[in-house]
Amino acid sequence: MFSTHKKSAQGTLTEMNLESRLSSMDNKGDYVLLIESNLGVSTLICETLAKDGSFIVDRVESLSAGIESLDREKIKVILINLFLSDSQGIETFEKLVARNPSIPIIILTDQKHENMARLAIQHGAQDYLLLTDRMDCYPMARAIRNAIERKIAEDALFIERERAQVTLNSIGDAVISTDIAGKITYLNVVAERMTGWSQAEAEGHPFSNVFRIIDNATRETLPDPMQSVIRENRTIGLAPDSVLIRRDGIEMVIEDSAAPIRDRSGQVTGAVIVFHDVTAERAMVNKMVRFAQHDPLTDLPNRLLLNDRLVQAIAIAQRRRKKLAVLFIDVDRFKNINDTLGHLMGDKLLLSIAQRLVKCVRDSDTVSRQGGDEFVLLLADVDHTQAVASSAAKILAAMAEKLSIADHDIHITLSIGISIYPADGENPETLLKNADAAMYHAKESGRNNYQFFKPGMNDLAVEQQSLEGSLRHALARQEFVLHYQPKVNLETGEITGAEVLLRWMHPVRGLLYPDQFVSIAEDSGLIVPIGRWVRQQACEQVRAWQNAGFLPTPIAVNISAIELRSEGFLEGIRDMLKETGLDPRYLEIELTESVLIHDIESTMTVLHALKAMGVQLAIDDFGTGYSSLSYLRQFPIDTLKIDQSFVREIHADHGNNTIVSAVIRMCNSLKLRVSAEGVETQEQLAFLQGEHCEEGQGFYFSRPLEASAFAELRGMNNTIYVVN
């Protein structure tokens, strides 16, 4: 054992003169703080370490002096005896650590207090050295260097771990690690938030308890990915559409990958999984996919999705040797509603139509919107064409019921074209084209009906499309002409007016009549500018006749529902009368019954406005519509025209005679002028005269004539002699 050396004023090194001596030493080396009350022991240690030459020793005799030195020197290691003049036992170590826990401490002890040194190691000391009479330089220096190197390594490891911790908590992905047994060893803050487990709660729990995943489609529990990683020793990804169930039951769609953790020898020691929440992204992707495949207004399948389903349905029908049907549906005169009531009302109408169509078919069928007012139905697994006909009839019946939209009662009809697989086509393109052609034929057949495809219909469809293309340029190319058919007072033979009839001088097809192109003009919206041109030309012609000395001639112009409800219609009539200088009483607007009862409220407003201008109003083709009698007294009508189909059937002892007589008497009682259309024979004329029908027109008097021929016919006395 070291002997104890007492301090003396002259022969002993004091703490102050030791510091002075140390300060004069070469400053190259690691600072070591030696805290030892026994001067002999401390001297021996200093001398021993001096032999190594790598250390600068700062020696103090008390704990308080040692603690004070911590603030003055860059100490790398502390050598301390736990039994000092001002502190004894393990408390000495604890006080020193409390002051600066980062400096490594080596305990100096004798055999008597070796257990105390071991206790200090348990409390965080790096090592201890046994004090003997002869100290070996090498073990002491090695112990000090080991302590310094361990501290450097620990600091470096701490920095790396801190950097890793900060990084893992800063990234947007969740991270969970396990040991080889699949027990949780780590969760970053994102993983804590996504699983609902804190690091402290989750540590030591089986991974599957914390990370619960199911298949979003089947709702079945998915296998533990960490077990697969550890077993297969490779990186794996989660199954698509995996859903993580958080601790509180909230679900989120996740994407991830899991990888093994290996030691230096390559042995698997655990696994780590990195995952993130893709619920919002997946929802957006699904939304975009649905948007790409569905109509945004009705949410029905669009052209793209319909084509996919057609391909699949054809493949199934081919395998099963079944039929399928494609129904191409067009809303009759939809543009009229869209233009007169507005696009918002038009959209609501299309949505209501879509809903009715869906109710008319099976869940296995497809209702698709192609765009605009066109729909396509795919009827899969069809046994016979009669079933398709029944479906089409069911659709027409469903649409016959009025639609109430925003306080408007709207009546619509559909034109339906049908093609059947495989007879009418073996691929989607052909089936759709042939169904479209059949739809055109349905329109040509009067609308509100269905037609099955037949060979040759495509030629008609192409012709209709060609006509529409030419019609768009007809006004600019001045291809339209007006003909005038005289109206005659049946008692006097006097020409009372004329009905304006439109003709199209087609550059290739020659003269075309309204029934060949007006429906196309209505469906395409071209009827509005064409009708405006007709009214302008007719009014200018009447003024020209007046200027030429003829008696004023009332002129009758037919107006479609599309024109009546088009924007600026009333202003256009008013401006036209002002521009031409025509007295409004010489302009008569003819409207059909169906135009009158379609949206009665708005029609009433327009008609009263026309009457306020002084324009005359007539109901054309009376008897061919429906429900008009109940509204007749509400409209400011001047003239009622009996449809030519009734006049044509006037014969002795024929039922239609009674109908015509009743209509004439009704008009007389309502103080309405009555005019008969389509008078062609002397027998018809005689009957009408006998019933006191006031006015008539037809081939018996004259065919429609060009303006010059009409002027020549009427002559200066304005009379056609009637044979009595």
Side-chain angles (χ1 to χ4, degrees):
M1 292 290 291
F2 285 106
S3 59
T4 301
H5 299 276
K6 297 183 179 179
K7 292 181 182 179
S8 66
Q10 298 181 353
T12 307
L13 289 173
T14 64
E15 295 178 9
M16 291 301 296
N17 60 32
L18 177 60
E19 290 180 10
S20 177
R21 188 169 71 86
L22 289 173
S23 65
S24 65
M25 295 174 58
D26 186 3
N27 285 334
K28 294 181 180 180
D30 293 321
Y31 278 87
V32 177
L33 176 61
L34 173 61
I35 307 175
E36 173 60 68
S37 297
N38 189 313
L39 185 58
V41 173
S42 63
T43 300
L44 181 57
I45 292 174
C46 288
E47 291 173 350
T48 302
L49 291 178
K51 297 175 183 179
D52 184 270
S54 301
F55 307 104
I56 301 171
V57 181
D58 187 358
R59 182 173 66 178
V60 296
E61 295 183 358
S62 63
L63 178 62
S64 57
I67 290 175
E68 185 179 348
S69 297
L70 295 178
D71 298 329
R72 298 199 308 266
E73 306 288 357
K74 296 180 180 179
I75 306 299
K76 294 294 184 69
V77 177
I78 299 173
L79 301 179
I80 185 171
N81 194 322
L82 297 180
F83 294 89
L84 302 171
S85 59
D86 58 350
S87 181
Q88 300 287 310
I90 195 65
E91 291 183 0
T92 304
F93 175 79
E94 292 175 345
K95 291 176 182 178
L96 186 62
V97 171
R99 180 69 183 201
N100 193 327
S102 64
I103 302 176
I105 300 172
I106 298 175
I107 307 299
L108 302 173
T109 184
D110 53 21
Q111 290 182 343
K112 177 181 177 181
H113 298 107
E114 191 172 357
N115 288 335
M116 185 64 69
R118 293 193 181 99
L119 180 61
I121 290 176
Q122 293 177 11
H123 283 69
Q126 288 275 0
D127 202 351
Y128 71 89
L129 293 172
L130 281 175
L131 298 175
T132 62
D133 290 336
R134 297 179 61 84
M135 295 293 294
D136 191 341
C137 174
Y138 176 74
M140 185 179 294
R142 184 181 60 185
I144 294 173
R145 289 195 184 94
N146 287 344
I148 293 173
E149 291 172 359
R150 278 196 297 270
K151 180 61 170 63
I152 293 173
E154 288 174 359
D155 288 346
L157 180 60
F158 176 81
I159 292 172
E160 288 300 318
R161 292 183 63 180
E162 187 67 15
R163 182 182 293 114
Q165 184 72 28
V166 171
T167 301
L168 289 173
N169 285 333
S170 299
I171 63 176
D173 288 350
V175 180
I176 302 177
S177 64
T178 70
D179 58 19
I180 191 69
K183 300 294 182 65
I184 298 288
T185 58
Y186 173 78
L187 284 81
N188 70 347
V189 292
V190 180
E192 289 180 329
R193 184 173 64 250
M194 290 182 65
T195 62
W197 289 72
S198 68
Q199 163 77 23
E201 292 173 319
E203 192 168 358
H205 277 273
F207 177 76
S208 57
N209 288 2
V210 176
F211 191 80
R212 296 175 54 212
I213 51 174
I214 62 171
D215 183 277
N216 194 31
T218 65
R219 310 301 292 177
E220 294 180 357
T221 301
L222 292 171
D224 182 348
M226 300 296 242
Q227 290 182 0
S228 300
V229 165
I230 293 172
R231 182 177 61 253
E232 299 176 20
N233 190 15
R234 65 181 183 89
T235 300
I236 66 170
L238 270 186
D241 218 20
S242 296
V243 172
L244 172 67
I245 303 178
R246 203 166 69 181
R247 197 175 188 180
D248 58 6
I250 293 177
E251 298 182 3
M252 60 194 79
V253 184
I254 61 171
E255 289 181 350
D256 85 328
S257 64
I261 300 173
R262 303 182 183 94
D263 60 18
R264 290 184 178 182
S265 64
Q267 296 299 311
V268 177
T269 61
V272 62
I273 187 169
V274 180
F275 58 96
H276 57 278
D277 184 0
V278 295
T279 304
E281 292 89 336
R282 190 66 56 82
M284 180 60 69
V285 169
N286 292 339
K287 183 177 180 180
M288 294 302 293
V289 169
R290 185 166 188 84
F291 182 78
Q293 296 182 337
H294 288 76
D295 171 54
L297 174 63
T298 62
D299 200 37
L300 293 176
N302 60 12
R303 291 174 183 267
L304 180 64
L305 185 54
L306 173 68
N307 190 74
D308 289 343
R309 293 189 179 178
L310 256 175
V311 170
Q312 296 174 19
I314 289 172
I316 294 172
Q318 187 178 35
R319 288 197 303 269
R320 298 178 179 175
R321 296 184 179 180
K322 291 278 190 176
K323 298 178 181 178
L324 63 82
V326 173
L327 281 65
F328 203 105
I329 299 174
D330 186 85
V331 182
D332 296 330
R333 297 187 175 92
F334 172 75
K335 188 169 178 58
N336 170 24
I337 300 170
N338 213 32
D339 290 344
T340 57
L341 300 183
H343 292 287
L344 181 60
M345 283 289 293
D347 286 349
K348 290 181 178 179
L349 175 59
L350 289 172
L351 187 57
S352 297
I353 292 171
Q355 292 168 348
R356 286 195 180 182
L357 288 175
V358 170
K359 292 179 180 179
C360 289
V361 298
R362 303 164 297 181
D363 292 339
S364 58
D365 299 325
T366 296
V367 180
S368 167
R369 183 186 176 207
Q370 298 292 284
D373 61 335
E374 294 179 342
F375 297 84
V376 171
L377 272 62
L378 166 60
L379 305 183
D381 195 14
V382 173
D383 291 324
H384 47 79
T385 56
Q386 184 56 45
V388 181
S390 298
S391 295
K394 180 181 178 181
I395 291 169
L396 293 175
M399 294 301 166
E401 300 177 14
K402 70 179 179 181
L403 289 163
S404 297
I405 301 174
D407 299 327
H408 292 273
D409 291 339
I410 301 175
H411 295 272
I412 65 164
T413 60
L414 304 178
S415 295
I416 304 175
I418 305 171
S419 62
I420 304 294
Y421 169 87
D424 301 328
E426 297 184 356
N427 57 69
E429 181 182 358
T430 304
L431 288 169
L432 286 168
K433 182 184 71 173
N434 290 341
D436 188 20
M439 183 273 294
Y440 271 104
H441 191 69
K443 283 189 175 294
E444 288 298 310
S445 301
R447 298 183 173 88
N448 194 29
N449 70 96
Y450 63 87
Q451 296 289 329
F452 284 89
F453 174 77
K454 296 176 183 177
M457 283 185 174
N458 273 316
D459 296 336
L460 175 62
V462 170
E463 179 183 356
Q464 294 296 310
Q465 291 172 351
S466 175
L467 276 177
E468 181 177 338
S470 300
L471 194 60
R472 294 185 182 278
H473 305 289
L475 264 181
R477 295 171 179 169
Q478 300 181 347
E479 294 173 357
F480 290 118
V481 294
L482 297 182
H483 287 185
Y484 301 85
Q485 186 171 40
K487 296 181 180 181
V488 180
N489 184 304
L490 299 186
E491 294 297 326
T492 67
E494 179 185 5
I495 295 176
T496 57
E499 180 179 0
V500 178
L501 299 171
L502 179 64
R503 303 290 186 262
W504 179 13
M505 185 59 71
H506 193 280
V508 176
R509 302 170 188 265
L511 190 67
L512 300 180
Y513 291 86
D515 60 352
Q516 295 174 279
F517 63 86
V518 166
S519 62
I520 299 175
E522 289 180 340
D523 290 337
S524 63
L526 294 172
I527 194 65
V528 173
I530 292 174
R532 190 183 303 119
W533 178 86
V534 169
R535 294 189 293 275
Q536 182 75 26
Q537 293 296 312
C539 290
E540 290 179 357
Q541 182 61 65
V542 173
R543 287 293 296 158
W545 283 330
Q546 291 178 0
N547 294 337
F550 289 101
L551 293 174
T553 305
I555 200 82
V557 180
N558 288 283
I559 300 294
S560 68
I562 298 175
E563 295 174 87
L564 186 70
R565 296 177 181 87
S566 63
E567 185 177 356
F569 172 75
L570 288 172
E571 291 78 3
I573 295 289
R574 189 179 291 110
D575 293 344
M576 180 192 66
L577 292 172
K578 182 178 179 180
E579 180 182 339
T580 60
L582 182 67
D583 190 324
R585 61 180 171 160
Y586 295 126
L587 175 63
E588 183 176 60
I589 299 295
E590 293 188 359
L591 309 103
T592 62
E593 293 176 86
S594 59
V595 172
L596 291 176
I597 67 168
H598 182 77
D599 195 1
I600 294 173
E601 184 177 345
S602 63
T603 299
M604 190 79 69
T605 300
V606 175
L607 295 187
H608 279 290
L610 289 171
K611 284 298 296 180
M613 293 183 200
V615 173
Q616 300 293 297
L617 300 174
I619 297 179
D620 193 19
D621 301 335
F622 183 78
T624 60
Y626 48 90
S627 304
S628 58
L629 287 176
S630 62
Y631 299 117
L632 192 58
R633 296 179 62 88
Q634 302 179 39
F635 294 111
I637 301 299
D638 301 294
T639 303
L640 190 150
K641 299 181 71 175
I642 302 173
D643 185 67
Q644 60 182 331
S645 63
F646 295 102
V647 175
R648 190 180 300 118
E649 297 298 324
I650 291 176
H651 300 292
D653 300 327
H654 197 282
N656 276 357
N657 296 3
T658 303
I659 295 175
V660 173
S661 298
V663 171
I664 294 172
R665 286 194 296 270
M666 179 191 69
C667 289
N668 290 335
S669 65
L670 293 175
K671 302 296 188 287
L672 295 176
R673 183 187 306 112
V674 61
S675 179
E677 296 182 293
V679 180
E680 297 182 354
T681 67
Q682 173 62 39
E683 184 181 10
Q684 294 167 353
L685 175 61
F687 178 82
L688 292 170
Q689 288 174 325
E691 295 294 327
H692 304 290
C693 179
E694 184 176 348
E695 185 180 77
Q697 69 183 83
F699 287 179
Y700 182 81
F701 308 111
S702 173
R703 291 177 176 275
L705 304 170
E706 293 185 4
S708 58
F710 179 81
E712 183 179 347
L713 173 69
R714 62 186 294 193
M716 296 304 294
N717 59 5
N718 203 48
T719 301
I720 294 178
Y721 292 99
V722 178
V723 179
N724 293 317

